[in-house]
């Protein structure tokens, strides 16, 4: 099958299940005959992966919020040009683990740079590049942080700088993602992430079918 190339993003707070669900969805899409590129942010191109390390590791107060916003925009511009656009042009579906909305939520709302400011920075960096569909995994903050913490226990390479930020920061993120979905209901679908992995995956597949994205 060779339908239209699609650009899907997964968003939500820490430990919501984005990476778990995106992998399962990529596997399923491949069984449907779709060629998939699975990528992530921050990162997704060699240069952007270097910026990822700067952003996700080290002391919580390592960067000013504005510096984070600018680094993310720089990384995203590189990722779009060198990874995302070539894949879409080759007819692949691009599934991206976090994208534009994470900057709006984390740096715009959570870190206080301002929503419009973050949008403006991104416009300067790469113009307009919106996904066909954004899946927002919504979960009470406590549950997400617990999941993330349990997972980090098994990892030596800690990418937990944002996880370590205070509780109120994570509450702000959750509301920010929900506000994005309210502002752009055509692009965004909010899913209850407080359910079993397989159930959530079924819901995702149903959304893809209902929106006729495979045709
Ligand atoms: N629906 C679920 N129920 C219970 N545990 C889950 C569920 N989904 C994922 N997990 C587990 O929670 C942890 C975090 O999941 P995952 O890494 O997919 O989240 P994430 O949204 O990608 O997190 P991050 O924002 O930190 O990248 C993993 O250990 C995963 O196995
Ligand atoms: Mg993840």
């Amino acid at each position: 099958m060779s339908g239209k190339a699609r650009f899907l993003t997964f968003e939500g707070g820490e430990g919501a299940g984005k990476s778990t669900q995106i992998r399962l969805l990529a596997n399923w899409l491949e069984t449907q005959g779709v060629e998939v590129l699975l990528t992530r942010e921050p990162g997704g191109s060699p240069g952007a992966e270097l910026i990822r390390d700067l952003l996700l590791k080290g002391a919580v107060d390592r960067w000013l919020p504005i510096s984070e916003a600018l680094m993310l925009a720089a990384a995203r511009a590189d990722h779009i040009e060198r990874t995302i656009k070539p894949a879409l042009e080759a007819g692949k579906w691009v599934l991206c683990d976090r994208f534009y909305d994470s900057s709006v939520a984390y740096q715009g709302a959570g870190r206080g740079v301002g929503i419009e400011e973050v949008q403006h920075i991104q416009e300067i960096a790469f113009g307009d590049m919106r996904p066909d569909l954004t899946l927002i995994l919504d979960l009470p903050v406590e549950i997400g942080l617990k999941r993330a913490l349990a997972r980090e226990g098994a990892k030596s390479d800690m990418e937990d700088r944002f996880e370590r930020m205070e509780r109120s920061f994570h509450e702000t993120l959750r509301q920010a993602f929900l506000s994005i979905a309210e502002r752009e209901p055509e692009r965004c679908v909010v899913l209850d992430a407080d359910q079993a992995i397989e159930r959530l995956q079924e819901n995702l597949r149903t959304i893809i079918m209902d929106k006729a994205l495979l045709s």
Side-chain angles (χ1 to χ4, degrees):
M1 187 165 57
S2 62
K4 196 173 175 300
R6 307 282 185 185
F7 179 30
L8 270 55
T9 58
F10 283 64
E11 300 279 8
E14 308 288 323
K18 299 176 294 298
S19 303
T20 303
Q21 293 299 330
I22 204 169
R23 271 194 302 271
L24 292 170
L25 192 71
N27 292 343
W28 176 71
L29 285 170
E30 278 166 358
T31 69
Q32 304 300 302
V34 173
E35 257 200 282
V36 177
L37 176 85
L38 183 51
T39 186
R40 66 165 183 191
E41 290 204 348
S45 65
E49 287 288 327
L50 297 173
I51 297 176
R52 178 186 179 92
D53 258 14
L54 298 176
L55 285 162
L56 299 189
K57 295 179 182 172
V60 162
D61 65 357
R62 183 175 187 185
W63 301 109
L64 297 176
I66 183 66
S67 305
E68 283 175 11
L70 291 165
M71 279 192 279
L72 280 156
R76 184 161 303 129
D78 197 71
H79 184 211
I80 289 171
E81 280 309 312
R82 297 183 170 176
T83 303
I84 296 175
K85 280 188 183 166
L88 290 171
E89 279 158 17
K92 292 180 188 167
W93 280 42
V94 175
L95 269 53
C96 190
D97 192 338
R98 292 193 182 279
F99 191 64
Y100 189 103
D101 301 312
S102 278
S103 291
V104 171
Y106 278 67
Q107 281 66 45
R111 302 277 279 141
V113 173
I115 308 283
E116 285 181 10
E117 285 76 0
V118 166
Q119 287 171 335
H120 187 47
I121 289 166
Q122 303 206 69
E123 198 187 321
I124 292 168
F126 52 82
D128 196 22
M129 179 71 186
R130 292 305 171 102
D132 297 301
L133 174 66
T134 296
L135 299 151
I136 297 178
L137 304 193
D138 180 61
L139 188 67
V141 167
E142 226 148 280
I143 301 175
L145 289 175
K146 247 186 224 158
R147 283 186 191 172
L149 201 67
R151 177 200 53 198
E152 298 299 341
K155 284 208 308 193
S156 57
D157 198 15
M158 297 291 254
E159 291 186 334
D160 62 352
R161 189 171 150 261
F162 288 101
E163 263 162 60
R164 284 183 270 118
M165 291 186 184
E166 53 198 47
R167 164 74 188 256
S168 63
F169 172 78
H170 296 284
E171 295 289 355
T172 302
L173 297 183
R174 186 179 186 198
Q175 293 314 315
F177 280 120
L178 294 175
S179 301
I180 290 168
E182 270 177 31
R183 284 198 298 274
E184 291 182 73
E186 289 294 306
R187 173 174 70 89
C188 302
V189 177
V190 178
L191 288 126
D192 174 11
D194 187 11
Q195 51 180 330
I197 290 173
E198 289 306 327
R199 281 282 307 277
L200 189 49
Q201 181 62 206
E202 276 168 32
N203 293 345
L204 286 174
R205 291 174 191 177
T206 304
I207 290 164
I208 305 287
M209 301 304 281
D210 286 352
K211 290 195 170 273
L213 292 179
L214 279 166
S215 53

